[in-house]
Amino acid sequence: MVNSSSTFPIGGPQQHAPPFSAVQLDDPFWAPRQRLVRLSTLPAMYQQCLSSGRIDALRLAWTPGSRPVPHHFWDSDIAKWLEASSYALANQPDPWVEARMDEVIGLLQAAQQADGYLNSYVTSVTPTGRWTDLRDGHELYCAGHLIEAGVAHFLATGRRALLDVVCRYADYIASVFGSELGQKRGYCGHPEIELALVRLFRATGERRYLELSRYFVDERGREPYYFDQEAVGRTTPRASDSYYRRHGLRGSELRRYNQSHAPVRQQTQVVGHAVRAMYLYSAMADLAGETGDVELLAACQRLWSHLVATSLYVTGGVGSSAHNEGFSGDYHLPNADAYAETCAAVGLVFWAQRMLQLTADAQYADMLEKTLYNAVAAAISSDGKQFFYANPLASDGRAQRQPWFKVACCPPNVARLVGSLGQYVYSVGERHLAVHLFVAGQAHLEVGGRHVGMCQTHDYPWDGHIRLDLELAGPAEFGLWLRVPGWSRGATLRVNGEEIRVDGHLERGYVKLERTWRGGDRIDFDLPMPVERVYANPFVAEDVGCVALQRGPLIFCLEEADNPVALHQVCLPRSAALDAQFDADCLGGVVRVRTEGLVADVRDWNGQLYRPAHPVRLQRQPLVAVPYAVWGNRSLGQMRVWIRDAANA
Amino acid sequence: MVNSSSTFPIGGPQQHAPPFSAVQLDDPFWAPRQRLVRLSTLPAMYQQCLSSGRIDALRLAWTPGSRPVPHHFWDSDIAKWLEASSYALANQPDPWVEARMDEVIGLLQAAQQADGYLNSYVTSVTPTGRWTDLRDGHELYCAGHLIEAGVAHFLATGRRALLDVVCRYADYIASVFGSELGQKRGYCGHPEIELALVRLFRATGERRYLELSRYFVDERGREPYYFDQEAVGRTTPRASDSYYRRHGLRGSELRRYNQSHAPVRQQTQVVGHAVRAMYLYSAMADLAGETGDVELLAACQRLWSHLVATSLYVTGGVGSSAHNEGFSGDYHLPNADAYAETCAAVGLVFWAQRMLQLTADAQYADMLEKTLYNAVAAAISSDGKQFFYANPLASDGRAQRQPWFKVACCPPNVARLVGSLGQYVYSVGERHLAVHLFVAGQAHLEVGGRHVGMCQTHDYPWDGHIRLDLELAGPAEFGLWLRVPGWSRGATLRVNGEEIRVDGHLERGYVKLERTWRGGDRIDFDLPMPVERVYANPFVAEDVGCVALQRGPLIFCLEEADNPVALHQVCLPRSAALDAQFDADCLGGVVRVRTEGLVADVRDWNGQLYRPAHPVRLQRQPLVAVPYAVWGNRSLGQMRVWIRDAANA
């Protein structure tokens, strides 16, 4: 029985994600990206960590005056590289990678202090500063990433080397923080450890990690205000004081910046630093699921509703402003100046994934798809070695991916998400198997104690014909739920050749097929994929009078490489035909959209800058749009997602 | 004989501006503003100078550790207040103001060093730093403003107290700088002294001041590069090092920033800090006129052509970017983020005025008018006590005038321009009198040695009927030139009731009436003033698909106070009638434009942020536009100059 109300179902989440390793990708879109991350991104990232001093920093050999001075959240980059490498290793054994990981794990073991503490920066650079700057110091944030790495390494290899390290660290943290007498009543300025601790609980079964997560989440934003208290008597600046001063972040805005402006259960609007927000809301959803906490779920749902109604880019990017690396007000969604940090998109995937397990509502799977195929995919270059930190939706030609960053959170975040993509494709409930994403490959799942093999075969997202083949040892009765994407219309379905009415079985975005399934059962699911025009709510000032193009889950954009004109001058008549064709030679094989737009005829301006009462003459201009996911992989040039809409042409 | 070629006429400028005191304003637009500056702005400015410590700083009593620490160009604020007050005093005697001025002049006299040097900051704060930081220190810039004040005070009062001070200072500067052995081959990072020295030459007849100006102008941008040379061996940062670092200004961009990237005669494009550019080009034009230097004139004309073809706001503002407080690339004219500094608009008036004297070409008078009635007028509030530093052409409701600034260059710059407006209305040549601006009031001019009285009577810019009455002791033969504004079409003209064909007498933008004039001659000049739509060149990305409204010299804007809708949603059909009416009760009496636009109907969006293929429904919306000159004088709210153009509606 599926609970279709919007409040939390009694008894916990509706379904669970399978382990990432249950799904092997053989997908035209994601398999090459997963391979790219393994073969190109992760080795490049290791080199960057090595050459920048991040790995050496783990030796705790830094002395005052020597260079480079470690950065206070370098450990998190190492941890995310370890986590991403764990997924890669599970997908494809690689002795070289395993040896590098073992080396680094060895350094972490050696760097762990007798009491379990593990932070290379604090231990070697500010040894008296332990837990004195929770607002800016990122200690618990780094701990969270180490914990995630430990869990991932354990799940990927079955080995406990790093898991034991992070359990000891988590146990030590649990002794320091909490509401008992003598404990610090603090929490991290950058949420992360909260969701990591839930993962650690799930991997180990140790409930104390869940309790510690709940403590951190519920303590956040309470009075007396911890970040003020910890500053009393402080004589040195906190790690981000000068950054905040430079950005004019202070007072209540600074509290919103790290989501400590109110206890989380009272928060109603997405505010502040977007990555922090996404990680916090993910942890809230985790806790809601593990503890059946309907109040936390309700808070998540309120925050989600606010996000999707006011603050989401059409690409699935979030956090529009560089000012606070985050949310900047309802409907404020600048395009060329979009911040839309890669890590925030990754965080949105985390959050959506968790909401999806709790509610089994396809709106969350729609968001997974939108964000993965657009905001996340665009963040990494076609050679796997360059990355966007900010993800603009328009460029005058200057926006360009970079090989690395001083704060290098984004590259390994993409790597760990792509490496673990398998866990986002399906969910299993007690009596159902849900297909959320159309990602071709083999899955080995368990529904109601029975093994279910599932094979997806298709050219999605280039083509909407999805074939699913079931493998079962014997007949089994369960619900097979297929997501009907929010963007689709006119989906058709056949089971073993017999047509089934999609409308008749649709519930919360899924076609729900309840029957006795047998090995060899075949499902053909057809999603028509016309190119569609998308409009933004008129309150979005930047998009007024503009139109975007979407086909299937993909948002398209114009690039100068295909359209050698001033893109701001281009407008698209509503009558213009939109023709999609797969082009194997373009950008590794993508669907391109051809159409005909209009551009201003500048010849009759004679160099004038302004002129009166003289309508601008337009001329026809052939246009080619490519998926936003692959933009910026040719020569530097202009790009635009939102094209001017020639309303009456 | 008028030389109508575009190269420099042999023998110097075509005409000269009369002294500002030759014209008494009785104008519906400017007379109230001149009164406001005298009665409200100047006293407020004096108080700000007093309370901020600017006046006390002249006592040279600052000691290390005491507060406030003087700023290195405070002297220029004092100087501009003195200059503006001189004009006010000449327009209307005021013993209180005169007493304050005498006090301050006394302080300046006392602050002048034995060798003539006069800079309160250097003398008291960095006494060993004299002339060691020409790039950023603003010493010569401050000297320039003191010189302008000395000249203005002398012209306004006939008294030499301040003039003598600045002559001694200029003589000392002439001994320090130049190409003689032992002299510094430097020039100021912020041009200003160059044009001031020409004014000093004109007031005193001392040619050495003209020579010093020519030295500064011609030395600029030469190799070896002075600003590098002066930094050799320097151990302390220069005054703006941290500012430049913060703004990423370095290398060749920093050279362009202060227009020292090339010798001025080789410069072809307006670049860098806009105020510096305008002041430099003004001095170049001054020198071209005084020395008959055709090469300098040609450089000015090239720079002018580049400005008006690529980098001018429709309001007459210039310098679009806050990044460098200046020019940011051809056609880059952002609206909400416009910098368009008030001082740059004032500087453009200076430059246009000088070009106008040299060439007698009405395009420069058109620019005078555009900039004065829009960019300059908008900079000051209706109570005369608040000012825009940056002048955006669109606001989301946050842009707001301020009473004062840490760097307070703009308020006194507006004050001195408004106070001396009389010198912009007419020019006199050997055998002609040119009417550039339609500013009502009395003028007492001299043409060919004969006194000519001229009275303008009208309600310009609200109404286009101009009446001119001549006063002459006896008949006199000369050309009376009336500017036919670039924005006008269908002007008609009667002399003593007799219609004269405008087209038949039009030359370089002026109707030229050559005849024997007599006292009592009356001219009626009619400029039809429909409201017109103005379009921007399609290369201006920010204005594509938009339209602005202009009536006479005034650019209009929509304000939230009149139009309680989201202004970015408003679009204006090309068929919409534009109805102008004077409203005595609005904003001190202005013409308002009424029309009917279209706005998106947000009701049928049901809170969705994006939706497919569904045209946005529009509904009618009555609109009221007001002159940009008076915007921001009611409650805080949105504003837009460029309205979306509903092309086919």
Side-chain angles (χ1 to χ4, degrees), chain B residues 1-5 7-17 289 354-361 427-432 434 481 507-508 512:
Chain B
M1 273 299 295
V2 177
N3 184 324
S4 68
S5 84
T7 57
F8 193 70
I10 303 305
Q14 300 289 298
Q15 53 192 1
H16 295 278
R354 284 154 173 83
M355 297 301 285
L356 180 59
Q357 309 315 317
L358 298 183
T359 63
D361 187 329
S427 287
V428 288
E430 272 194 33
R431 291 183 30 76
H432 79 264
W481 300 0
E507 200 183 320
R508 307 190 83 188
K512 296 189 174 172

mmCIF file of all heavy atoms in Angstrom, chain B residues 1-5 7-17 289 354-361 427-432 434 481 507-508 512:
data_model
loop_
_atom_site.group_PDB
_atom_site.id
_atom_site.type_symbol
_atom_site.label_atom_id
_atom_site.label_comp_id
_atom_site.label_asym_id
_atom_site.label_seq_id
_atom_site.Cartn_x
_atom_site.Cartn_y
_atom_site.Cartn_z
ATOM 1 N N MET B 1 33.345 84.122 -41.349
ATOM 2 C CA MET B 1 33.325 82.880 -42.140
ATOM 3 C C MET B 1 33.469 81.667 -41.218
ATOM 4 O O MET B 1 34.393 81.560 -40.432
ATOM 5 C CB MET B 1 34.512 82.876 -43.131
ATOM 6 C CG MET B 1 34.207 83.553 -44.435
ATOM 7 S SD MET B 1 32.860 82.742 -45.327
ATOM 8 C CE MET B 1 33.588 81.158 -45.695
ATOM 9 N N VAL B 2 32.561 80.777 -41.380
ATOM 10 C CA VAL B 2 32.607 79.566 -40.569
ATOM 11 C C VAL B 2 33.249 78.441 -41.361
ATOM 12 O O VAL B 2 32.892 78.196 -42.508
ATOM 13 C CB VAL B 2 31.182 79.152 -40.159
ATOM 14 C CG1 VAL B 2 31.244 77.848 -39.384
ATOM 15 C CG2 VAL B 2 30.535 80.244 -39.357
ATOM 16 N N ASN B 3 34.195 77.813 -40.726
ATOM 17 C CA ASN B 3 34.829 76.680 -41.366
ATOM 18 C C ASN B 3 34.023 75.426 -41.040
ATOM 19 O O ASN B 3 33.881 75.046 -39.896
ATOM 20 C CB ASN B 3 36.256 76.553 -40.810
ATOM 21 C CG ASN B 3 37.018 75.453 -41.502
ATOM 22 O OD1 ASN B 3 36.443 74.428 -41.856
ATOM 23 N ND2 ASN B 3 38.310 75.664 -41.687
ATOM 24 N N SER B 4 33.479 74.829 -42.032
ATOM 25 C CA SER B 4 32.590 73.700 -41.752
ATOM 26 C C SER B 4 33.268 72.348 -41.943
ATOM 27 O O SER B 4 32.624 71.325 -41.864
ATOM 28 C CB SER B 4 31.345 73.788 -42.636
ATOM 29 O OG SER B 4 31.718 73.578 -43.980
ATOM 30 N N SER B 5 34.580 72.342 -42.183
ATOM 31 C CA SER B 5 35.243 71.033 -42.296
ATOM 32 C C SER B 5 35.382 70.453 -40.894
ATOM 33 O O SER B 5 35.200 71.143 -39.896
ATOM 34 C CB SER B 5 36.606 71.189 -42.948
ATOM 35 O OG SER B 5 37.557 71.545 -41.972
ATOM 36 N N THR B 7 38.177 69.167 -39.696
ATOM 37 C CA THR B 7 39.500 69.364 -39.103
ATOM 38 C C THR B 7 39.534 70.718 -38.426
ATOM 39 O O THR B 7 38.608 71.516 -38.531
ATOM 40 C CB THR B 7 40.596 69.287 -40.184
ATOM 41 O OG1 THR B 7 40.303 70.252 -41.178
ATOM 42 C CG2 THR B 7 40.655 67.908 -40.796
ATOM 43 N N PHE B 8 40.617 70.946 -37.724
ATOM 44 C CA PHE B 8 40.692 72.157 -36.917
ATOM 45 C C PHE B 8 40.796 73.389 -37.791
ATOM 46 O O PHE B 8 41.590 73.451 -38.718
ATOM 47 C CB PHE B 8 41.909 72.075 -36.012
ATOM 48 C CG PHE B 8 41.886 73.103 -34.943
ATOM 49 C CD1 PHE B 8 40.974 73.001 -33.917
ATOM 50 C CD2 PHE B 8 42.742 74.179 -34.986
ATOM 51 C CE1 PHE B 8 40.945 73.948 -32.922
ATOM 52 C CE2 PHE B 8 42.713 75.141 -33.995
ATOM 53 C CZ PHE B 8 41.812 75.019 -32.956
ATOM 54 N N PRO B 9 40.004 74.419 -37.508
ATOM 55 C CA PRO B 9 40.080 75.644 -38.285
ATOM 56 C C PRO B 9 41.393 76.369 -37.975
ATOM 57 O O PRO B 9 41.815 76.413 -36.825
ATOM 58 C CB PRO B 9 38.891 76.438 -37.799
ATOM 59 C CG PRO B 9 38.614 75.911 -36.439
ATOM 60 C CD PRO B 9 39.046 74.486 -36.415
ATOM 61 N N ILE B 10 42.016 76.884 -38.966
ATOM 62 C CA ILE B 10 43.236 77.678 -38.758
ATOM 63 C C ILE B 10 42.869 78.867 -37.875
ATOM 64 O O ILE B 10 41.827 79.489 -38.034
ATOM 65 C CB ILE B 10 43.769 78.208 -40.115
ATOM 66 C CG1 ILE B 10 44.020 77.046 -41.081
ATOM 67 C CG2 ILE B 10 45.051 79.024 -39.933
ATOM 68 C CD1 ILE B 10 44.933 75.969 -40.568
ATOM 69 N N GLY B 11 43.716 79.135 -36.909
ATOM 70 C CA GLY B 11 43.511 80.358 -36.141
ATOM 71 C C GLY B 11 42.751 80.195 -34.857
ATOM 72 O O GLY B 11 42.393 81.175 -34.224
ATOM 73 N N GLY B 12 42.496 78.948 -34.444
ATOM 74 C CA GLY B 12 41.904 78.774 -33.124
ATOM 75 C C GLY B 12 40.435 78.490 -33.146
ATOM 76 O O GLY B 12 39.844 78.221 -34.187
ATOM 77 N N PRO B 13 39.833 78.548 -31.994
ATOM 78 C CA PRO B 13 38.434 78.141 -31.864
ATOM 79 C C PRO B 13 37.488 79.044 -32.631
ATOM 80 O O PRO B 13 37.794 80.188 -32.932
ATOM 81 C CB PRO B 13 38.178 78.224 -30.360
ATOM 82 C CG PRO B 13 39.299 78.977 -29.782
ATOM 83 C CD PRO B 13 40.445 78.938 -30.722
ATOM 84 N N GLN B 14 36.346 78.514 -32.934
ATOM 85 C CA GLN B 14 35.297 79.227 -33.646
ATOM 86 C C GLN B 14 34.619 80.280 -32.799
ATOM 87 O O GLN B 14 34.067 81.234 -33.319
ATOM 88 C CB GLN B 14 34.222 78.227 -34.094
ATOM 89 C CG GLN B 14 34.738 77.158 -35.022
ATOM 90 C CD GLN B 14 35.058 77.745 -36.371
ATOM 91 O OE1 GLN B 14 34.189 78.256 -37.049
ATOM 92 N NE2 GLN B 14 36.324 77.708 -36.760
ATOM 93 N N GLN B 15 34.613 80.042 -31.496
ATOM 94 C CA GLN B 15 33.801 80.883 -30.620
ATOM 95 C C GLN B 15 34.246 80.675 -29.179
ATOM 96 O O GLN B 15 35.020 79.775 -28.882
ATOM 97 C CB GLN B 15 32.325 80.519 -30.787
ATOM 98 C CG GLN B 15 32.044 79.031 -30.597
ATOM 99 C CD GLN B 15 30.660 78.613 -31.042
ATOM 100 O OE1 GLN B 15 29.864 79.421 -31.525
ATOM 101 N NE2 GLN B 15 30.348 77.342 -30.865
ATOM 102 N N HIS B 16 33.737 81.534 -28.319
ATOM 103 C CA HIS B 16 34.077 81.428 -26.907
ATOM 104 C C HIS B 16 32.825 81.461 -26.062
ATOM 105 O O HIS B 16 31.838 82.115 -26.428
ATOM 106 C CB HIS B 16 34.999 82.590 -26.493
ATOM 107 C CG HIS B 16 36.326 82.549 -27.179
ATOM 108 N ND1 HIS B 16 37.362 81.753 -26.753
ATOM 109 C CD2 HIS B 16 36.773 83.173 -28.308
ATOM 110 C CE1 HIS B 16 38.401 81.894 -27.567
ATOM 111 N NE2 HIS B 16 38.069 82.752 -28.525
ATOM 112 N N ALA B 17 32.896 80.768 -24.940
ATOM 113 C CA ALA B 17 31.785 80.856 -23.996
ATOM 114 C C ALA B 17 31.898 82.166 -23.235
ATOM 115 O O ALA B 17 33.007 82.582 -22.880
ATOM 116 C CB ALA B 17 31.852 79.687 -23.026
ATOM 117 N N GLY B 289 42.660 74.386 -28.563
ATOM 118 C CA GLY B 289 42.129 75.712 -28.846
ATOM 119 C C GLY B 289 43.134 76.816 -28.599
ATOM 120 O O GLY B 289 43.292 77.729 -29.411
ATOM 121 N N ARG B 354 33.934 72.324 -24.524
ATOM 122 C CA ARG B 354 35.191 72.744 -25.149
ATOM 123 C C ARG B 354 35.197 72.405 -26.635
ATOM 124 O O ARG B 354 35.656 73.184 -27.466
ATOM 125 C CB ARG B 354 36.362 72.089 -24.413
ATOM 126 C CG ARG B 354 36.650 72.774 -23.067
ATOM 127 C CD ARG B 354 37.318 71.849 -22.078
ATOM 128 N NE ARG B 354 37.724 72.542 -20.868
ATOM 129 C CZ ARG B 354 36.937 72.808 -19.825
ATOM 130 N NH1 ARG B 354 35.645 72.466 -19.859
ATOM 131 N NH2 ARG B 354 37.397 73.439 -18.776
ATOM 132 N N MET B 355 34.693 71.209 -26.974
ATOM 133 C CA MET B 355 34.629 70.816 -28.387
ATOM 134 C C MET B 355 33.710 71.764 -29.154
ATOM 135 O O MET B 355 33.945 72.075 -30.331
ATOM 136 C CB MET B 355 34.126 69.376 -28.518
ATOM 137 C CG MET B 355 35.026 68.322 -27.901
ATOM 138 S SD MET B 355 36.709 68.271 -28.565
ATOM 139 C CE MET B 355 36.411 67.486 -30.147
ATOM 140 N N LEU B 356 32.672 72.188 -28.472
ATOM 141 C CA LEU B 356 31.715 73.099 -29.096
ATOM 142 C C LEU B 356 32.361 74.436 -29.446
ATOM 143 O O LEU B 356 32.114 75.004 -30.513
ATOM 144 C CB LEU B 356 30.541 73.298 -28.120
ATOM 145 C CG LEU B 356 29.418 74.216 -28.551
ATOM 146 C CD1 LEU B 356 28.773 73.736 -29.848
ATOM 147 C CD2 LEU B 356 28.368 74.282 -27.431
ATOM 148 N N GLN B 357 33.204 74.938 -28.571
ATOM 149 C CA GLN B 357 33.875 76.215 -28.873
ATOM 150 C C GLN B 357 34.832 76.055 -30.058
ATOM 151 O O GLN B 357 34.947 76.928 -30.906
ATOM 152 C CB GLN B 357 34.659 76.737 -27.659
ATOM 153 C CG GLN B 357 33.895 76.806 -26.347
ATOM 154 C CD GLN B 357 32.502 77.391 -26.471
ATOM 155 O OE1 GLN B 357 32.279 78.376 -27.157
ATOM 156 N NE2 GLN B 357 31.541 76.765 -25.789
ATOM 157 N N LEU B 358 35.490 74.897 -30.098
ATOM 158 C CA LEU B 358 36.489 74.682 -31.145
ATOM 159 C C LEU B 358 35.860 74.550 -32.520
ATOM 160 O O LEU B 358 36.419 75.018 -33.512
ATOM 161 C CB LEU B 358 37.304 73.408 -30.858
ATOM 162 C CG LEU B 358 38.128 73.385 -29.576
ATOM 163 C CD1 LEU B 358 38.929 72.091 -29.493
ATOM 164 C CD2 LEU B 358 39.067 74.586 -29.509
ATOM 165 N N THR B 359 34.734 73.890 -32.577
ATOM 166 C CA THR B 359 34.206 73.462 -33.881
ATOM 167 C C THR B 359 32.896 74.122 -34.273
ATOM 168 O O THR B 359 32.501 74.054 -35.426
ATOM 169 C CB THR B 359 33.942 71.954 -33.866
ATOM 170 O OG1 THR B 359 32.924 71.690 -32.876
ATOM 171 C CG2 THR B 359 35.192 71.161 -33.519
ATOM 172 N N ALA B 360 32.200 74.701 -33.292
ATOM 173 C CA ALA B 360 30.865 75.259 -33.549
ATOM 174 C C ALA B 360 29.943 74.228 -34.196
ATOM 175 O O ALA B 360 29.094 74.566 -35.014
ATOM 176 C CB ALA B 360 30.949 76.525 -34.399
ATOM 177 N N ASP B 361 30.117 72.985 -33.806
ATOM 178 C CA ASP B 361 29.303 71.898 -34.339
ATOM 179 C C ASP B 361 28.233 71.540 -33.303
ATOM 180 O O ASP B 361 28.555 71.223 -32.155
ATOM 181 C CB ASP B 361 30.218 70.692 -34.618
ATOM 182 C CG ASP B 361 29.488 69.576 -35.336
ATOM 183 O OD1 ASP B 361 28.266 69.411 -35.124
ATOM 184 O OD2 ASP B 361 30.147 68.842 -36.096
ATOM 185 N N SER B 427 27.474 80.970 -27.117
ATOM 186 C CA SER B 427 28.863 81.269 -27.446
ATOM 187 C C SER B 427 28.862 82.544 -28.266
ATOM 188 O O SER B 427 27.882 82.859 -28.964
ATOM 189 C CB SER B 427 29.498 80.164 -28.294
ATOM 190 O OG SER B 427 29.761 79.027 -27.526
ATOM 191 N N VAL B 428 29.969 83.258 -28.205
ATOM 192 C CA VAL B 428 30.116 84.400 -29.095
ATOM 193 C C VAL B 428 31.387 84.221 -29.927
ATOM 194 O O VAL B 428 32.428 83.791 -29.421
ATOM 195 C CB VAL B 428 30.172 85.741 -28.330
ATOM 196 C CG1 VAL B 428 28.797 86.086 -27.780
ATOM 197 C CG2 VAL B 428 31.193 85.701 -27.207
ATOM 198 N N GLY B 429 31.237 84.509 -31.213
ATOM 199 C CA GLY B 429 32.387 84.504 -32.107
ATOM 200 C C GLY B 429 32.655 85.932 -32.533
ATOM 201 O O GLY B 429 32.031 86.873 -32.024
ATOM 202 N N GLU B 430 33.557 86.102 -33.474
ATOM 203 C CA GLU B 430 33.868 87.475 -33.882
ATOM 204 C C GLU B 430 32.667 88.154 -34.487
ATOM 205 O O GLU B 430 32.439 89.340 -34.286
ATOM 206 C CB GLU B 430 35.027 87.454 -34.876
ATOM 207 C CG GLU B 430 36.352 87.498 -34.156
ATOM 208 C CD GLU B 430 37.488 87.816 -35.101
ATOM 209 O OE1 GLU B 430 37.279 88.563 -36.075
ATOM 210 O OE2 GLU B 430 38.600 87.305 -34.851
ATOM 211 N N ARG B 431 31.899 87.364 -35.229
ATOM 212 C CA ARG B 431 30.757 87.980 -35.907
ATOM 213 C C ARG B 431 29.484 87.165 -35.727
ATOM 214 O O ARG B 431 28.595 87.199 -36.559
ATOM 215 C CB ARG B 431 31.062 88.147 -37.410
ATOM 216 C CG ARG B 431 32.143 89.213 -37.707
ATOM 217 C CD ARG B 431 32.356 89.395 -39.198
ATOM 218 N NE ARG B 431 31.156 89.134 -39.992
ATOM 219 C CZ ARG B 431 30.105 89.962 -40.099
ATOM 220 N NH1 ARG B 431 30.107 91.133 -39.476
ATOM 221 N NH2 ARG B 431 29.066 89.630 -40.837
ATOM 222 N N HIS B 432 29.441 86.404 -34.660
ATOM 223 C CA HIS B 432 28.191 85.664 -34.423
ATOM 224 C C HIS B 432 27.923 85.450 -32.950
ATOM 225 O O HIS B 432 28.822 85.528 -32.103
ATOM 226 C CB HIS B 432 28.193 84.321 -35.163
ATOM 227 C CG HIS B 432 28.997 83.241 -34.478
ATOM 228 N ND1 HIS B 432 30.294 82.949 -34.799
ATOM 229 C CD2 HIS B 432 28.653 82.362 -33.503
ATOM 230 C CE1 HIS B 432 30.730 81.956 -34.048
ATOM 231 N NE2 HIS B 432 29.753 81.583 -33.251
ATOM 232 N N ALA B 434 25.877 82.452 -30.849
ATOM 233 C CA ALA B 434 25.235 81.137 -30.983
ATOM 234 C C ALA B 434 24.409 80.832 -29.742
ATOM 235 O O ALA B 434 24.870 81.055 -28.611
ATOM 236 C CB ALA B 434 26.286 80.061 -31.182
ATOM 237 N N TRP B 481 22.905 82.479 -34.400
ATOM 238 C CA TRP B 481 22.808 81.042 -34.696
ATOM 239 C C TRP B 481 21.933 80.377 -33.639
ATOM 240 O O TRP B 481 22.209 80.470 -32.450
ATOM 241 C CB TRP B 481 24.192 80.381 -34.663
ATOM 242 C CG TRP B 481 25.195 80.927 -35.640
ATOM 243 C CD1 TRP B 481 25.010 81.934 -36.546
ATOM 244 C CD2 TRP B 481 26.547 80.490 -35.785
ATOM 245 N NE1 TRP B 481 26.150 82.158 -37.259
ATOM 246 C CE2 TRP B 481 27.123 81.275 -36.821
ATOM 247 C CE3 TRP B 481 27.334 79.524 -35.174
ATOM 248 C CZ2 TRP B 481 28.445 81.116 -37.229
ATOM 249 C CZ3 TRP B 481 28.647 79.360 -35.572
ATOM 250 C CH2 TRP B 481 29.195 80.151 -36.603
ATOM 251 N N GLU B 507 23.120 74.865 -40.863
ATOM 252 C CA GLU B 507 24.522 74.502 -41.090
ATOM 253 C C GLU B 507 25.091 73.932 -39.799
ATOM 254 O O GLU B 507 25.043 74.609 -38.764
ATOM 255 C CB GLU B 507 25.289 75.754 -41.508
ATOM 256 C CG GLU B 507 26.585 75.452 -42.229
ATOM 257 C CD GLU B 507 27.338 76.749 -42.560
ATOM 258 O OE1 GLU B 507 26.690 77.749 -42.947
ATOM 259 O OE2 GLU B 507 28.568 76.755 -42.396
ATOM 260 N N ARG B 508 25.573 72.728 -39.880
ATOM 261 C CA ARG B 508 26.164 72.045 -38.721
ATOM 262 C C ARG B 508 25.270 72.148 -37.483
ATOM 263 O O ARG B 508 25.739 72.349 -36.366
ATOM 264 C CB ARG B 508 27.550 72.602 -38.404
ATOM 265 C CG ARG B 508 28.457 72.579 -39.640
ATOM 266 C CD ARG B 508 29.877 72.882 -39.301
ATOM 267 N NE ARG B 508 30.556 71.689 -38.842
ATOM 268 C CZ ARG B 508 31.777 71.691 -38.327
ATOM 269 N NH1 ARG B 508 32.434 72.819 -38.191
ATOM 270 N NH2 ARG B 508 32.333 70.575 -37.951
ATOM 271 N N LYS B 512 21.294 79.645 -39.146
ATOM 272 C CA LYS B 512 22.190 80.798 -39.066
ATOM 273 C C LYS B 512 21.521 82.008 -39.717
ATOM 274 O O LYS B 512 21.322 82.042 -40.933
ATOM 275 C CB LYS B 512 23.531 80.462 -39.715
ATOM 276 C CG LYS B 512 24.235 79.338 -38.939
ATOM 277 C CD LYS B 512 25.655 79.076 -39.355
ATOM 278 C CE LYS B 512 26.281 78.039 -38.422
ATOM 279 N NZ LYS B 512 27.607 77.590 -38.880
#
